[in-house]
Amino acid sequence: MKIKDLPQEELVTGSYACAGCGGILAVRLALKVLGKNTVIVTTPGCLLGVTTFYPQLAFKVPCVNITFPSTAAAISGVVAGLKKRGREGIKVVGIAGDGGTVDIGLQALSGALERGDNFIFICYDNEAYMNTGVQRSGATPLGANTTTTPVGKNSRGEDRPKKDMLRIVAAHDIAYAATASIGYPADYLRKVAKAMQARGAAYLHVLSPCPPGWGYASELTVELARLAVQTGAWQLAEYEGGEFKIQKVGREKPLSAYYALQARFAHLV
Amino acid sequence: MALRRFLNGNEALAEAVKLAGVEVVAAYPITPQSPVVEKIAEFISKGEMESEYIRVESEHAALAACYGAAVTGTRVFTATSSQGLAYMFEMLHYVSGSRMPVVMAVANRGMAAPWTIWADHQDSVSCRDTGWVQLYVENAQEALDTCLQAYKVGEDPQVLLPVMICLDGYTLSHTEEPVEVPEKEEVDAFLPPLRLPVALDVENPVVFCAGAGPELYTEFKYQQQQAMYAALLKLKEADAEFAARFGRSYGGTVEPYQCEDAAVILVTMGAVTGTAREVVDGLRACDQKVGLLKIKSFRPFPAQEIRDILSRAGAVAILERDCSYGYEGALCTEVKAALLGLDGPPKVYGFIGGLGGHDITREQITAIYRYCLEGVQPGYGTDHFLDVAGARDEN
């Protein structure tokens, strides 16, 4: 997958996303590969808030909004309905943030993965509940300062490590799962293409930096998405045919290079 | 030629779902709903029904999956009870606000705590304000017939609302009765295929359940309210057409029995109506001027019809299987409001009984009738709680 081979046509236009939003970039890039024969199912996270406020529709594909816990359950319904309509060729893509995936949406995701429905689930991970004002989620990394893990006399920020979603979804023995970063778009897009070809459920977990939530200048989004991988704060990996594969990207840097650029880790550097 | 069979309420509903040509079913098991979804699974397994069956991991997911299937323009069904319905609460609003004509059967069961599996109406009455049409049935035949009418009314372009069919757990869900099962061709003539005005289409992308700011939100909610009012009329029309085709009528919204000259009218919902009907027959045989008003549609609430029927009575007794804690039975409040401003209104007494599967006996209903003759001044927000040990009665 080469960036220059991507279609010029934008399927995400007119969103109210913040400048430098990693999440909207993750969706925009994915839709370049997924194409117009796609249905998005999403929840009231940042993505819904910035793309589908009536009469706005910032996608050139249909979008089904559903309750926070139920992205994957609604996916199963859409898949079943399209099958009855004889439209099985339409790709059903669930998109949720980390809260809507690893926390409140986990039960529904597990159910849909276990049922083996044919869909792609993309978690755009900005590592906290950004839409509601930067509260910690199960995907918040150790040490991060959030509004519910504020740094103070008795707290050094988030006191638990990030939930390992790749292993959780892999435990369902699905066809394909991968982590990605918007800082490595060619790798991410290759994985979206792979997910499209998978028979059954496929899962992508894409790190998507958030300028207001992480506390950095908006032009640093892509740099941080790369630094996260180069410093080992985030790993690029794939699960396929029952095997995990961790990718080496080179250009290793100390973790401080990543932490130093973000207010959420200011107390650690 | 319609077949007369021995079916319980759950089985009657499953037959209706098959006859209605439901395309997607998503359900999670709970007592006493389970047999309806088991029966549907059996139909599909035997090839008697061509439907996608999504075996979800929770009730919340069941209704979310129904919603997902509904937006593609397919006819869907689910069923639940009690805690399962409560677990769906968030989704109830999503489905009604998105105007998806999902049909759901609720095998009514009390709400824990204390934990119970037996019938009362607290589960569905607690969901009164979720924007679902709520229809309470009296027997298994009415469950089947109401399910067919539910799709007809819910899918009407002027309505487009989800419909809940409420049947008392065990009393109706598990009790077998002779039920006439119509022919598929007859049902097809009554119930045309679903045609949603807007369904999921990649050629014409739209968003389902968009966000809305305060002004537009109000517009959407006003339309929802208008749709509910339209449903009142459509319920009457569907009942009339159903009666013409199948020879059975339930009044659509309310079903009055012996009310014309009644001095005392009993008001009921659901299965207890059958017992009350017998009591009325017995009392009528003794020249007592008593009538019975069955509320079939709790939402939309047929206030005008209720007002017209009850205005002629001297006393009205509402007997219901729910309680709005801190006030009175929910139906009692609704009926009182419907009578507000009448010149010389009837005295209205509220009775709460049959909770958590407690039987409501003919003797109790007769006693309620006798009480109504005493001319006691009704209180405000007071309940007559049946079956309480020590027969405490604060009124």
Side-chain angles (χ1 to χ4, degrees):
Chain A
M1 182 67 57
K2 291 201 172 86
I3 304 287
K4 67 179 173 59
D5 296 335
L6 290 177
Q8 286 296 308
E9 189 184 7
E10 295 294 346
L11 297 181
V12 181
T13 56
S15 94
Y16 301 133
C18 303
C21 174
I24 201 74
L25 186 54
V27 176
R28 179 181 153 231
L29 288 171
L31 279 171
K32 291 257 184 191
V33 177
L34 294 163
K36 290 185 98 166
N37 203 27
T38 300
V39 176
I40 292 174
V41 180
T42 191
T43 60
C46 280
L47 183 66
L48 187 155
V50 302
T51 56
T52 57
F53 243 76
Y54 190 85
Q56 175 205 26
L57 175 58
F59 307 120
K60 290 181 183 167
V61 297
C63 182
V64 179
N65 292 336
I66 187 68
T67 47
F68 211 17
S70 290
T71 312
I75 286 171
S76 289
V78 173
V79 168
L82 289 175
K83 189 175 174 191
K84 288 306 284 184
R85 294 269 81 86
R87 303 297 304 273
E88 284 173 277
I90 297 173
K91 200 75 206 168
V92 182
V93 180
I95 307 176
D98 45 296
T101 304
V102 315
D103 289 344
I104 198 169
L106 187 57
Q107 176 173 315
L109 178 59
S110 175
L113 293 177
E114 175 266 320
R115 285 188 294 272
D117 293 328
N118 193 26
F119 68 95
I120 300 172
F121 196 102
I122 299 175
C123 171
Y124 68 98
D125 183 1
N126 49 30
E127 303 195 314
Y129 290 88
M130 298 316 188
N131 198 40
T132 44
V134 201
Q135 297 84 14
R136 66 82 68 185
S137 79
T140 299
L142 188 65
N145 188 359
T146 74
T147 54
T148 51
T149 56
V151 172
K153 187 161 69 97
N154 296 320
S155 166
R156 298 267 292 160
E158 168 65 26
D159 63 353
R160 297 289 304 158
K162 189 178 172 79
K163 193 184 282 192
D164 187 347
M165 268 305 285
L166 188 65
R167 282 201 296 164
I168 291 172
V169 297
H172 294 74
D173 200 19
I174 58 174
Y176 181 70
T179 61
S181 163
I182 53 121
Y184 290 87
D187 175 72
Y188 172 47
L189 296 168
R190 177 181 65 81
K191 288 167 176 171
V192 174
K194 255 185 158 173
M196 271 182 89
Q197 282 148 21
R199 293 166 67 90
Y203 177 85
L204 299 173
H205 194 117
V206 55
L207 187 72
S208 309
C210 169
W214 294 11
Y216 66 84
S218 58
E219 67 270 22
L220 296 178
T221 292
V222 172
E223 187 179 339
L224 277 168
R226 292 182 72 81
L227 276 172
V229 178
Q230 290 162 357
T231 60
W234 183 241
Q235 282 183 320
L236 303 183
E238 287 180 290
Y239 173 82
E240 219 175 346
E243 302 284 332
F244 288 97
K245 192 172 75 187
I246 294 176
Q247 299 161 246
K248 283 199 182 299
V249 293
R251 301 185 188 189
E252 284 93 346
K253 292 183 176 65
L255 196 56
S256 57
Y258 177 58
Y259 280 15
L261 295 175
Q262 306 174 56
R264 64 176 176 158
F265 294 123
H267 58 293
L268 300 178
V269 289
Chain B
M1 182 63 197
L3 204 60
R4 210 167 157 77
R5 294 168 51 192
F6 216 46
L7 300 176
N8 64 38
N10 278 331
E11 291 165 343
L13 279 166
E15 293 288 344
V17 168
K18 182 165 78 169
L19 285 166
V22 167
E23 296 165 286
V24 178
V25 176
Y28 185 81
I30 185 169
T31 301
Q33 152 265 30
S34 304
V36 63
V37 291
E38 291 169 0
K39 196 76 193 169
I40 291 168
E42 186 186 318
F43 288 151
I44 295 168
S45 165
K46 286 180 173 170
E48 295 173 23
M49 186 174 160
E50 286 184 12
S51 174
E52 290 294 312
Y53 195 120
I54 310 173
R55 293 159 184 89
V56 288
E57 72 291 343
S58 78
E59 287 91 353
H60 195 284
L63 203 46
C66 282
Y67 169 84
V71 303
T72 68
T74 50
R75 186 171 283 163
V76 302
F77 176 80
T78 188
T80 192
S81 298
S82 181
Q83 312 300 132
L85 183 62
Y87 197 25
M88 286 179 175
F89 188 79
E90 179 188 28
M91 277 306 309
L92 293 175
H93 284 280
Y94 254 68
V95 170
S96 62
S98 301
R99 309 291 298 276
M100 289 298 150
V102 173
V103 171
M104 166 160 63
V106 176
N108 287 114
R109 160 180 157 182
M111 295 297 306
W115 189 79
T116 178
I117 58 166
W118 293 285
D120 65 38
H121 293 163
Q122 194 69 42
D123 52 359
S124 52
V125 167
S126 297
C127 299
R128 181 191 64 182
D129 300 336
T130 57
W132 283 58
V133 173
Q134 268 197 13
L135 306 175
Y136 290 77
V137 301
E138 183 183 341
N139 52 47
Q141 182 73 64
E142 190 179 358
L144 188 154
D145 296 346
T146 300
C147 188
L148 299 176
Q149 294 180 31
Y151 284 107
K152 176 101 168 175
V153 172
E155 293 171 2
D156 188 291
Q158 290 178 45
V159 179
L160 291 172
L161 289 173
V163 184
M164 214 179 274
I165 304 157
C166 306
L167 69 161
D168 298 61
Y170 295 110
T171 320
L172 297 184
S173 70
H174 284 65
T175 308
E176 296 191 358
E177 305 173 58
V179 174
E180 208 168 286
V181 181
E183 291 291 330
K184 174 76 176 146
E185 296 72 37
E186 296 175 295
V187 173
D188 288 345
F190 172 74
L191 181 62
L194 170 62
R195 292 272 178 270
L196 276 188
V198 181
L200 195 148
D201 176 9
V202 288
E203 305 301 324
N204 298 290
V206 296
V207 57
F208 295 89
C209 192
E215 294 80 12
L216 284 169
Y217 184 88
T218 306
E219 296 294 324
F220 282 115
K221 290 297 154 187
Y222 175 74
Q223 289 184 16
Q224 215 175 321
Q225 172 78 326
Q226 296 303 109
M228 269 288 185
Y229 290 144
L232 265 184
L233 182 66
K234 296 293 174 183
L235 284 166
K236 303 293 279 186
E237 287 178 9
D239 182 75
E241 187 188 340
F242 194 89
R245 289 180 182 276
F246 302 95
R248 291 183 295 277
S249 168
Y250 308 95
T253 51
V254 294
E255 193 179 9
Y257 182 65
Q258 304 273 25
C259 286
E260 292 78 9
D261 63 341
V264 175
I265 297 179
L266 308 171
V267 179
T268 55
M269 289 200 300
V272 72
T273 309
T275 315
R277 206 180 287 275
E278 279 190 31
V279 172
V280 167
D281 287 345
L283 290 169
R284 280 276 171 182
C286 305
D287 295 324
Q288 301 294 301
K289 294 204 179 307
V290 58
L292 171 65
L293 178 62
K294 176 171 91 176
I295 310 296
K296 182 180 172 80
S297 174
F298 187 49
R299 278 296 179 277
F301 195 66
Q304 187 63 52
E305 284 182 281
I306 291 168
R307 182 184 175 94
D308 291 346
I309 292 163
L310 298 184
S311 64
R312 299 188 290 267
V316 170
I318 293 133
L319 175 54
E320 58 190 306
R321 306 184 79 170
D322 69 89
C323 180
S324 177
Y325 301 104
Y327 195 30
E328 57 194 0
L331 179 62
C332 183
T333 308
E334 309 280 51
V335 170
K336 281 181 181 172
L339 300 177
L340 202 69
L342 274 180
D343 195 18
K347 288 187 167 69
V348 180
Y349 305 101
F351 294 86
I352 291 170
L355 298 185
H358 214 296
D359 282 335
I360 301 176
T361 65
R362 278 182 288 193
E363 290 70 27
Q364 282 178 319
I365 297 172
T366 306
I368 288 169
Y369 167 69
R370 302 278 179 218
Y371 181 87
C372 290
L373 295 179
E374 289 174 18
V376 176
Q377 193 59 35
Y380 290 98
T382 52
D383 326 303
H384 297 262
F385 242 88
L386 303 183
D387 313 312
V388 178
R392 197 173 67 249
D393 191 337
E394 308 299 339
N395 201 25

